[in-house]
Every structure is written in C-alpha cells, then in structure tokens.
Coordinates of all heavy atoms in Angstrom, one line a residue:
E248 N 91.4 176.8 -60.5 CA 91.9 177.8 -59.6 C 90.9 178.3 -58.5 O 91.3 179.0 -57.6 CB 92.2 179.1 -60.5 CG 93.3 178.8 -61.6 CD 93.5 180.0 -62.5 OE1 92.7 181.0 -62.3 OE2 94.4 179.9 -63.3
Q249 N 89.7 177.9 -58.7 CA 88.7 178.3 -57.7 C 88.8 177.5 -56.5 O 89.4 176.4 -56.4 CB 87.3 178.2 -58.3 CG 87.0 179.0 -59.6 CD 87.5 178.4 -60.8 OE1 87.9 177.2 -60.8 NE2 87.5 179.1 -61.9
I250 N 88.1 178.0 -55.5 CA 88.0 177.3 -54.2 C 86.5 176.9 -54.0 O 86.3 175.8 -53.4 CB 88.3 178.3 -53.0 CG1 89.8 178.7 -53.2 CG2 88.1 177.6 -51.7 CD1 90.2 179.7 -52.1
I251 N 85.6 177.6 -54.5 CA 84.2 177.3 -54.4 C 83.7 176.6 -55.7 O 83.9 177.3 -56.8 CB 83.3 178.5 -54.0 CG1 83.9 179.2 -52.8 CG2 81.9 178.2 -53.9 CD1 83.8 178.3 -51.6
A252 N 83.1 175.5 -55.6 CA 82.6 174.8 -56.8 C 81.2 175.2 -57.0 O 80.2 174.9 -56.3 CB 82.6 173.3 -56.6
L253 N 81.0 176.0 -58.1 CA 79.6 176.5 -58.4 C 78.8 175.5 -59.2 O 77.6 175.7 -59.3 CB 79.7 177.8 -59.1 CG 80.4 179.0 -58.4 CD1 80.5 180.2 -59.2 CD2 79.6 179.3 -57.1
H254 N 79.5 174.6 -59.9 CA 78.7 173.7 -60.8 C 78.8 172.3 -60.5 O 78.9 171.3 -61.3 CB 79.3 173.9 -62.3 CG 79.2 175.3 -62.7 ND1 78.1 176.0 -63.0 CD2 80.3 176.3 -62.9 CE1 78.3 177.3 -63.3 NE2 79.7 177.4 -63.3
G255 N 78.9 171.9 -59.2 CA 79.0 170.5 -58.8 C 80.3 169.9 -58.8 O 80.4 168.7 -58.6
E256 N 81.4 170.6 -59.0 CA 82.7 170.1 -59.1 C 83.1 169.7 -57.6 O 82.4 170.1 -56.6 CB 83.7 171.0 -59.6 CG 83.4 171.5 -61.1 CD 82.6 172.8 -61.1 OE1 82.0 173.1 -60.1 OE2 82.7 173.4 -62.1
A257 N 84.2 168.9 -57.6 CA 84.7 168.6 -56.3 C 85.3 169.8 -55.7 O 85.9 170.7 -56.3 CB 85.8 167.5 -56.4
G258 N 85.1 170.0 -54.4 CA 85.5 171.2 -53.7 C 84.5 171.8 -52.7 O 83.4 171.1 -52.5
Y259 N 84.8 172.9 -52.2 CA 83.8 173.5 -51.3 C 82.6 174.1 -52.0 O 82.8 174.7 -53.0 CB 84.5 174.7 -50.5 CG 85.6 174.2 -49.5 CD1 86.9 174.3 -49.9 CD2 85.2 173.6 -48.3 CE1 87.9 173.9 -49.0 CE2 86.2 173.2 -47.5 CZ 87.5 173.3 -47.8 OH 88.5 172.9 -46.9
Q260 N 81.5 173.7 -51.4 CA 80.2 174.1 -52.1 C 79.8 175.5 -51.6 O 80.1 175.9 -50.5 CB 79.1 173.0 -51.8 CG 79.5 171.6 -52.2 CD 79.8 171.5 -53.7 OE1 79.0 171.9 -54.6 NE2 81.0 171.1 -54.1
P261 N 79.1 176.2 -52.4 CA 78.8 177.6 -52.1 C 77.7 177.7 -50.9 O 77.7 178.6 -50.2 CB 78.2 178.2 -53.4 CG 77.8 177.0 -54.2 CD 78.8 175.9 -53.8
E262 N 76.8 176.7 -50.9 CA 75.8 176.8 -49.9 C 76.2 176.1 -48.6 O 77.0 175.2 -48.6 CB 74.5 176.0 -50.4 CG 73.7 176.7 -51.5 CD 74.4 176.6 -52.9 OE1 75.3 175.7 -53.0 OE2 74.1 177.3 -53.8
V263 N 75.7 176.6 -47.5 CA 75.9 176.1 -46.2 C 74.7 175.4 -45.7 O 73.6 175.7 -46.1 CB 76.4 177.2 -45.3 CG1 77.7 177.8 -45.8 CG2 75.3 178.2 -45.1
L264 N 74.9 174.5 -44.7 CA 73.8 173.8 -44.1 C 73.5 174.5 -42.8 O 74.4 174.7 -41.9 CB 74.2 172.3 -43.8 CG 74.6 171.5 -45.1 CD1 75.1 170.1 -44.7 CD2 73.5 171.5 -46.1
R265 N 72.3 174.8 -42.6 CA 71.8 175.5 -41.3 C 71.4 174.4 -40.3 O 71.5 173.2 -40.6 CB 70.7 176.4 -41.6 CG 71.0 177.5 -42.6 CD 72.1 178.4 -42.1 NE 71.8 179.0 -40.8 CZ 71.2 180.2 -40.6 NH1 70.8 180.9 -41.7 NH2 71.0 180.6 -39.4
G266 N 71.0 174.8 -39.2 CA 70.7 173.9 -38.1 C 69.6 172.9 -38.5 O 68.6 173.3 -39.1
G267 N 69.8 171.5 -38.2 CA 68.7 170.5 -38.5 C 69.4 169.2 -38.9 O 70.6 169.0 -38.7
I268 N 68.6 168.4 -39.5 CA 69.1 167.0 -40.0 C 69.3 167.1 -41.5 O 68.4 167.5 -42.3 CB 68.1 165.9 -39.6 CG1 67.9 165.9 -38.1 CG2 68.5 164.6 -40.2 CD1 66.8 164.9 -37.7
H269 N 70.5 166.7 -41.9 CA 70.9 166.7 -43.3 C 71.5 165.3 -43.6 O 72.1 164.6 -42.8 CB 71.9 167.8 -43.5 CG 71.3 169.2 -43.1 ND1 70.6 169.9 -44.0 CD2 71.5 169.9 -42.0 CE1 70.3 171.1 -43.4 NE2 70.8 171.1 -42.2
F270 N 71.4 165.0 -44.9 CA 71.9 163.7 -45.4 C 72.9 164.0 -46.5 O 72.6 164.5 -47.6 CB 70.8 162.9 -46.0 CG 69.8 162.4 -44.9 CD1 68.6 163.1 -44.7 CD2 70.1 161.3 -44.1 CE1 67.7 162.7 -43.7 CE2 69.1 160.9 -43.2 CZ 68.0 161.6 -43.0
R271 N 74.2 163.8 -46.2 CA 75.3 163.9 -47.1 C 76.2 162.7 -46.9 O 76.8 162.6 -45.8 CB 76.1 165.3 -46.9 CG 75.3 166.5 -47.2 CD 75.0 166.6 -48.7 NE 74.4 168.0 -49.0 CZ 73.2 168.2 -49.0 NH1 72.3 167.3 -48.6 NH2 72.7 169.4 -49.3
T272 N 76.3 161.9 -47.9 CA 77.0 160.6 -47.7 C 78.5 161.0 -47.5 O 79.1 161.8 -48.3 CB 76.9 159.7 -48.9 OG1 77.7 158.6 -48.8 CG2 77.2 160.4 -50.3
P273 N 79.1 160.4 -46.6 CA 80.5 160.7 -46.4 C 81.4 160.1 -47.5 O 82.6 160.4 -47.6 CB 80.8 160.0 -45.0 CG 79.7 159.0 -44.9 CD 78.6 159.5 -45.6
L274 N 80.8 159.3 -48.3 CA 81.6 158.7 -49.4 C 81.8 159.8 -50.5 O 82.8 159.7 -51.3 CB 80.8 157.6 -50.1 CG 80.5 156.4 -49.2 CD1 79.7 155.3 -49.9 CD2 81.8 155.8 -48.6
M275 N 81.1 160.9 -50.4 CA 81.2 162.0 -51.4 C 81.4 163.4 -50.7 O 82.1 164.3 -51.2 CB 80.0 162.1 -52.3 CG 80.1 163.2 -53.4 SD 78.8 163.1 -54.5 CE 79.1 161.6 -55.4
Y276 N 80.9 163.6 -49.5 CA 80.9 164.9 -48.9 C 81.6 164.8 -47.5 O 81.5 163.8 -46.8 CB 79.5 165.4 -48.7 CG 78.7 165.7 -50.0 CD1 77.8 164.7 -50.5 CD2 79.0 166.8 -50.8 CE1 77.2 164.8 -51.7 CE2 78.3 166.9 -52.0 CZ 77.4 166.0 -52.4 OH 76.7 166.1 -53.6
K277 N 82.1 166.0 -47.1 CA 82.6 166.2 -45.8 C 82.0 167.5 -45.2 O 82.0 168.5 -45.9 CB 84.1 166.3 -45.7 CG 84.7 166.5 -44.4 CD 86.2 166.6 -44.4 CE 86.7 166.8 -42.9 NZ 88.2 166.9 -42.9
I278 N 81.4 167.4 -44.1 CA 80.7 168.5 -43.5 C 81.6 169.1 -42.4 O 81.9 168.4 -41.4 CB 79.3 168.1 -42.9 CG1 78.5 167.4 -44.0 CG2 78.6 169.3 -42.4 CD1 78.2 168.2 -45.2
H279 N 81.9 170.4 -42.5 CA 82.6 171.1 -41.6 C 81.7 172.0 -40.7 O 81.0 172.9 -41.3 CB 83.7 172.1 -42.2 CG 84.7 171.3 -43.1 ND1 85.8 170.7 -42.6 CD2 84.7 171.1 -44.4 CE1 86.4 170.2 -43.6 NE2 85.8 170.3 -44.7
I280 N 81.6 171.7 -39.4 CA 80.8 172.4 -38.5 C 81.5 173.8 -38.1 O 82.7 173.7 -37.7 CB 80.4 171.7 -37.3 CG1 79.7 170.3 -37.7 CG2 79.5 172.5 -36.4 CD1 78.5 170.5 -38.5
A281 N 80.8 174.9 -38.3 CA 81.3 176.2 -38.0 C 80.3 177.0 -37.2 O 79.1 176.8 -37.4 CB 81.8 176.9 -39.2
P282 N 80.8 178.0 -36.4 CA 79.8 178.8 -35.6 C 79.2 179.9 -36.5 O 79.7 180.3 -37.5 CB 80.6 179.4 -34.5 CG 82.0 179.5 -35.1 CD 82.1 178.3 -36.1
L283 N 78.0 180.4 -36.0 CA 77.4 181.6 -36.6 C 78.3 182.8 -36.1 O 78.9 182.8 -35.1 CB 76.0 181.8 -36.1 CG 75.0 180.8 -36.6 CD1 73.6 181.0 -35.9 CD2 74.9 180.8 -38.1
V284 N 78.4 183.8 -37.0 CA 79.2 185.0 -36.6 C 78.3 186.1 -36.1 O 77.3 186.4 -36.8 CB 80.0 185.5 -37.9 CG1 80.7 186.7 -37.6 CG2 80.9 184.4 -38.4
T285 N 78.7 186.6 -34.9 CA 77.9 187.6 -34.3 C 78.8 188.9 -34.2 O 79.9 188.9 -33.6 CB 77.4 187.2 -32.9 OG1 76.6 186.0 -33.0 CG2 76.6 188.3 -32.2
I286 N 78.2 190.0 -34.7 CA 78.9 191.3 -34.6 C 78.2 192.1 -33.5 O 77.0 192.4 -33.5 CB 78.8 192.1 -35.9 CG1 79.3 191.3 -37.1 CG2 79.5 193.5 -35.8 CD1 80.7 190.9 -37.0
P287 N 78.9 192.4 -32.4 CA 78.3 193.0 -31.2 C 77.8 194.5 -31.6 O 78.1 195.0 -32.6 CB 79.4 193.1 -30.2 CG 80.4 192.2 -30.6 CD 80.3 192.1 -32.1
Q288 N 76.9 194.9 -30.7 CA 76.4 196.3 -30.9 C 77.5 197.3 -30.9 O 78.4 197.4 -30.0 CB 75.4 196.6 -29.8 CG 74.8 197.9 -29.9 CD 73.8 198.1 -31.1 OE1 73.2 197.1 -31.5 NE2 73.7 199.3 -31.6

C-alpha cells in the first residue's frame, strides 16, 4: 500500500539525489530529475 520503499523494496526511495555524479544502474533504478522548491520572501 505504500508509495515510498523504506526497506529496499521496489518503488520510490525515500532519499533523493542532490547535485553531482551518481551511479544507479538503469537495470534497477530510474532517476527522476526535479527542481528545488523555493518559497519567496
């Protein structure tokens, strides 16, 4: 029933990847690029 996989299950992982070089094999992972959220003053 969950959406976030906390224990390594298939699904969306709780941690996000920040800017830089990362290695995630496409045979197991899909990386969705999303913008940072800015709340104006």
Side-chain angles (χ1 to χ4, degrees):
E248 298 177 356
Q249 297 83 7
I250 298 176
I251 304 299
L253 297 177
H254 305 289
E256 300 93 339
Y259 293 101
Q260 303 301 306
E262 289 78 14
V263 296
L264 302 177
R265 300 299 302 273
I268 298 175
H269 301 274
F270 295 95
R271 294 288 190 274
T272 176
L274 299 177
M275 183 176 289
Y276 298 98
K277 182 179 181 181
I278 307 300
H279 301 276
I280 304 299
L283 296 175
V284 177
T285 300
I286 307 298
Q288 178 69 29

